Amino acid sequence: LQLFRRLSKNLEESHNTGFTDGLLSDRLRLRLTGYYDHINTSGGIYHNSIDRLWFDASAMWMMGDFMLSASYTTPRRDFWINGPYKERKNNNYSIELSWNHNQWSASVGALNFLKTKRSSRRFYDYGAYAVDMRNYSRAQGRNIFFTITYTMSYGRKTDRGDTSIAPKTTDAIMRTF
């Protein structure tokens, strides 16, 4: 690994563009962000490059004390320069319904709830040898959650006093009266 770092030149160029909009009196909020990366490594023992493009989207609808939100991230390939190896990342999605009223809040949601299998792949080629590793399992980070929260106020209330700034100072330290 140290030999790789010493003999290689790494270049990573990233760009992202986001769009956010509020509709229906700002009760519906939409967000879409696109990412593009170009990563290139070259050196005495390792040459590789990758171009990747992926998107992240979310929607949130607020109605009174309730909020419904959903998000989705497209699949993408990752390139780890310190490995160096390539990895395929799967898509991720979630949905959540939450409620807030005074000091009470509750939420229920699910992450990747339709996925039944998880697969991942790492591969790299050093020239002298190549590795292609694939992993399969039953769970794909499927989660269902439910939370209830009650917030209690505690502590005593005090006055802040005079917080005005002194009109004349002789140093860079701001002093109050």
Side-chain angles (χ1 to χ4, degrees), residues 55-58 70-75 91-94:
F55 294 93
D56 187 16
S58 67
S71 67
Y72 178 77
T73 302
T74 60
N91 62 334
N92 289 302
Y93 51 89
S94 67

Side-chain angles (χ1 to χ4, degrees), residues 90-134:
N90 297 320
N91 62 334
N92 289 302
Y93 51 89
S94 67
I95 189 165
E96 179 180 356
L97 176 65
S98 61
W99 170 79
N100 289 305
H101 185 73
N102 295 334
Q103 295 170 312
W104 286 97
S105 66
S107 63
V108 61
L111 309 166
N112 298 326
F113 51 90
L114 297 176
K115 291 187 178 181
T116 57
K117 294 182 181 176
R118 177 179 192 256
S119 64
S120 66
R121 181 180 180 197
R122 288 186 178 181
F123 48 96
Y124 46 88
D125 186 355
Y126 287 108
Y129 66 94
V131 174
D132 189 349
M133 209 173 8
R134 297 169 193 242

Side-chain angles (χ1 to χ4, degrees), residues 8 74 89 169:
S8 67
T74 60
K89 296 242 182 189
T169 59

Side-chain angles (χ1 to χ4, degrees), residues 23-84:
L23 305 169
L24 302 174
S25 300
D26 213 25
R27 289 186 353 201
L28 175 63
R29 295 184 186 168
L30 304 173
R31 182 182 58 82
L32 176 66
T33 306
Y35 301 90
Y36 170 76
D37 292 335
H38 172 74
I39 302 171
N40 186 25
T41 61
S42 61
I45 60 173
Y46 188 73
H47 301 282
N48 210 332
S49 67
I50 187 173
D51 289 304
R52 58 187 184 171
L53 175 68
W54 79 95
F55 294 93
D56 187 16
S58 67
M60 181 173 47
W61 184 30
M62 294 173 282
M63 51 209 150
D65 292 340
F66 291 93
M67 180 180 70
L68 179 64
S69 61
S71 67
Y72 178 77
T73 302
T74 60
R76 69 179 187 266
R77 293 182 305 158
D78 276 344
F79 182 70
W80 300 94
I81 293 174
N82 60 349

